[in-house]
Structures are given as C-alpha cells and as structure tokens.
Amino acid sequence: MRALIVVMDSVGIGGALDAARYGDEGADTVGHIADACAAGRADSDQRQGPLQVPYLTALGLGEACERATGRKPPGLQRRAGAGAAFGHAHELSRGKDTPSGHWEIAGVPVPFDWGYFPKAVPTFPPELIRQLCASAGLPGILGNRHASGTEIMAELGEAHIETGQPICYTSADSVFQIAAHEQAFGLERLYRLCEAARPLVDRFNIGRVIARPFVGETPADFRRTANRRDYAVPPPDSTILDVATAEQRHVVTIGKIADIFAHRGTGHNLKGENNDVLFTRMLEGIAMLGDGGLIFANFVDFDTLYGHRRDVAGYARALEAFDARLPELLNALRSDDLLVITADHGCDPTWGGSDHTRESVPVLIANGRTAGPIGARSSFADIGATVAAHLQISPTRHGRVFW
C-alpha cells in the first residue's frame, strides 16, 4: 500500500471560480491547446493533428475538463475507462504560484497574501540591492525589472559575462530570480548569492529566490541548465510530507519538490534535467519505495519550457510525450497503491503575457478500487487528505477525503 502524487506543472483545465480576480477569466490551458491542435495551429515537425493523450483521457481528463468548463476539448472525447476516478479542484490559496499550489496539494492552503515586487523600473527597493551587492561583493546588478527569464538572458547575458553583474528579475509570482553564467560567474557562487538574498527578501514576504544558471557564448546559444535551485520559505503548517516523515514512512520526492518544500520532510530526492528523465527517476523511486511510502513528483517542463514561453505546439508535444509513458507508471503500481495525477495552477500558452493563469486543476485517480466522478473539490488540500487516509497516517489539518 503506497501513494503517489504526480504534478503536471501548470496543466490547468480552466474554470477557476475566481479567475476574473486575477485577470484570467476564460483561461484554459488544456482546452486551448486541444483547440489549437484540432485547428492545425499546433502542427510542427514533431507533431501533427488533434491532441493525442489516450491514457490521460482513459483516466478521465476529458470528463474533468467538462466538469470544470462545461465542454470536452477536442481529442479528449473518449469516455474515461471503467476503472477511472476523476474530478477537478479549485484553489483556496490566494495566488497562482508554484509554492501555493503544491503546499495546498500537500494539505496546507496558504492563508496569507504573498509579497510582490512592483512593475516599475527599477522594480527592486534600492536598499535591498545595496545590501545584496555589499554582502556578496558585487559591482552591481543587471535587469532589475519584471521579465521573461529566457528573454532577459538573451538580452543581458553578454553584458553579464563582461561585467560580472548577475541578472536579477522578477515576475507576477512572488519571486526574486538571479540568472548567472555557470562558468563565467560560477555555479556555486550563484548558489551562495541566492543564499545571501534569501533572508534579505524575507521582510518583503517573497516566496522564493530562484537560481537560474545558464551556459553558452552568445544570445543565439544561451540556454538555461538543469542546475536551477529554488530557495523557498517553508510551509506554514505540517504537510503530508511532514506527517509521513514523522510517522517514519518512506518518502521519495522527484524534481523540484524538495526545493518547493524547503527540504522539509522531502526524504530521498531524485532530480533530472527534463520531463523524460524525471519520469525515469520516478520509476526508480517507485521500485525503491517501501510499503506505506509516499512519492511526490513534479514535472516542470510544461510550465517552464512551454507555458511561460507561450509555445502551444511545444506544450502539446510535451503532453503527448508524458502520456506515452503513462503505461510504464500504471504497470508499476500494485493493486493497493493510490495514484493521483494533478496540477498546481495553469499557464495557458494562448493567454496574454508570460505568467501563470488562475485555473482549476484535474484530479485523476488510479487505485484499483474506486471509480467514477469525485465532483468539484473546493480545495487542492483534498488530495493530501485522501493520501493520508489511504496511507493510514495522521490526517492533515485541511481537506476532505474524496470518498
């Protein structure tokens, strides 16, 4: 008897009840990607035609979308398989960021508003930058504004290499991001800089400091590496990870989960450079997972490579590649295991700007015993509550069990 929580980062399905508050009314990541595929607007050398995700569809993705928005997207018209349990969940936390979504999935809705940097240029308080430069011996910084990470890297990467000044920027999320060249600046030096920045941004209630290392020699070949590291504040309450660890259950986390939870209760962490490698690491984690153990996995490429870059064809291709590997996951399950596939927010690649979108998320369940709809869940925390009940560990403070 084991449990797996698998987060398809940013794979929202529209229909958030409070989307208008965030300027996202009508955003629908899966639905709009499926529409684009059906209309031929997502064709590329790597993929053609309607969205093909038969295993997610068999688990009930089409039904989850229909319950969230009132329609089944094209390509997801097949009925869910006889053994599928499915639904969708709304977020209680007041944000559409990565920590809020993941913490709520783990049973801890965020009860406060995060701090955000203004869209003015420069965006960071002068005293913050002065203290950062003084603490790290920096001649100054570049950027100092809201920006797309890939765009600002291409724009300022050469100046960064020439001057030794790191590129500091933010987004609509509660983040302070620092990009630096792995060789010219140094990866360990970048990590130390982020560690210095973490306490400096605490007074602004910033959720994460993110190290964004990159390599390359010119804007044409600059690329971010898999050595990203997030420095997050810890969750404000005990998560399902804390509970499982306290009760001496085997915990394995995949990808950036350990960073998101500030390495609290995250057990044995397995990382990888992309979704495909992360999937393989997850299968390794399942093979080592003891009875009563928990796996918590994040697949980040949907968000960072395609959602934020508004790459519809790339996002569709990533969904299809993930789906193609699902039989490996399903075949690795025991009859008494619980698998929940979900998301933490949306990042509709057809939407304006480059930020996350406030959406409900799919909740697709495989456990060999329960099938059918689980309804509209009022909080992502229902996932953590259900996992705790399945593993027969102490309940989380928030959330209601699915059945």
Side-chain angles (χ1 to χ4, degrees):
M1 181 177 66
R2 305 170 300 177
L4 296 84
I5 303 172
V6 175
V7 179
M8 302 184 296
D9 200 306
S10 86
V11 183
I13 55 173
L17 300 176
D18 56 358
R21 175 185 171 191
Y22 299 85
D24 293 330
E25 188 172 21
D28 182 359
T29 299
V30 171
H32 288 158
I33 291 170
D35 290 340
C37 290
R41 299 193 304 273
D43 288 350
S44 67
D45 292 340
Q46 290 81 23
R47 70 159 316 279
Q48 300 275 322
L51 186 64
Q52 299 289 332
V53 286
Y55 298 104
L56 286 169
T57 302
L59 288 172
L61 181 58
E63 281 79 5
C65 291
E66 186 174 31
R67 282 161 172 76
T69 65
R71 70 174 185 117
K72 269 190 181 182
L76 279 66
Q77 299 295 326
R78 284 178 47 203
R79 292 178 60 85
F86 49 81
H88 67 286
H90 299 288
E91 186 171 8
L92 282 180
S93 302
R94 293 176 291 189
K96 49 181 179 178
D97 55 273
T98 295
S100 295
H102 282 80
W103 293 357
E104 187 166 330
I105 288 168
V108 182
V110 177
F112 53 82
D113 289 318
W114 292 107
Y116 302 93
F117 292 112
K119 289 193 174 181
V121 180
T123 190
F124 302 122
E127 181 64 12
L128 168 61
I129 300 306
R130 187 196 67 75
Q131 291 178 332
L132 181 64
C133 290
S135 67
L138 296 173
I141 67 164
L142 301 173
N144 205 342
R145 65 178 188 266
H146 282 244
S148 158
T150 53
E151 291 175 1
I152 202 168
M153 177 182 67
E155 177 189 346
L156 298 177
E158 288 181 315
H160 156 67
I161 293 171
E162 292 171 3
T163 65
Q165 299 180 63
I167 304 167
C168 299
Y169 63 102
T170 189
S171 72
D173 286 351
S174 183
V175 293
F176 185 87
Q177 305 193 73
I178 308 177
H181 196 278
E182 285 199 0
Q183 286 78 45
F185 191 85
L187 183 60
E188 292 303 321
R189 185 183 178 199
L190 172 60
Y191 291 159
R192 291 195 300 271
L193 178 59
C194 291
E195 289 166 4
R198 177 64 264 176
L200 296 179
V201 302
D202 282 347
R203 66 181 182 272
F204 303 105
N205 200 27
I206 300 301
R208 287 179 295 165
V209 174
I210 305 178
R212 294 286 196 176
F214 67 95
V215 296
E217 298 181 358
T218 68
D221 63 3
F222 286 149
R223 62 176 180 83
R224 297 197 294 206
T225 75
N227 292 319
R228 162 185 171 158
R229 189 171 291 179
D230 292 34
Y231 298 83
V233 295
D237 203 347
S238 292
T239 70
I240 185 71
L241 293 168
D242 295 314
V243 174
T245 298
E247 300 191 15
Q248 299 183 325
R249 300 302 179 90
H250 189 190
V251 174
V252 178
T253 51
I254 310 297
K256 66 177 186 177
I257 293 295
D259 286 349
I260 294 169
F261 288 86
H263 297 266
R264 200 180 76 192
T266 52
H268 187 62
N269 183 233
L270 302 174
K271 291 196 172 185
E273 61 185 5
N274 55 46
N275 275 4
D276 192 53
V277 175
L278 287 170
F279 207 105
T280 298
R281 302 310 307 274
M282 178 173 65
L283 296 176
E284 294 171 7
I286 295 171
M288 70 172 66
L289 192 67
D291 189 50
L294 170 64
I295 283 181
F296 201 156
N298 171 278
F299 290 86
V300 71
D301 286 359
F302 304 113
D303 186 51
T304 59
L305 297 186
Y306 308 112
H308 285 301
R309 300 184 191 186
R310 297 308 188 233
D311 181 353
V312 178
Y315 207 131
R317 189 170 65 250
L319 284 169
E320 291 171 342
F322 180 87
D323 186 84
R325 296 205 64 180
L326 273 181
E328 298 175 71
L329 171 58
L330 297 173
N331 289 335
L333 299 179
R334 302 171 184 166
S335 60
D336 59 352
D337 287 344
L338 171 70
L339 166 66
V340 182
I341 299 177
T342 187
D344 55 339
H345 49 70
C347 198
D348 187 341
T350 72
W351 211 242
S354 60
D355 297 321
H356 295 154
T357 42
R358 180 78 167 186
E359 300 180 40
S360 58
V361 301
V363 182
L364 312 179
I365 304 153
N367 74 337
R369 293 179 295 178
T370 305
I374 61 168
R377 314 305 301 190
S378 61
S379 171
F380 297 179
D382 290 1
I383 296 171
T386 301
V387 168
H390 174 79
L391 293 177
Q392 299 177 11
I393 59 178
S394 300
T396 54
R397 287 184 57 192
H398 304 277
R400 296 183 298 111
V401 178
F402 294 151
W403 43 72

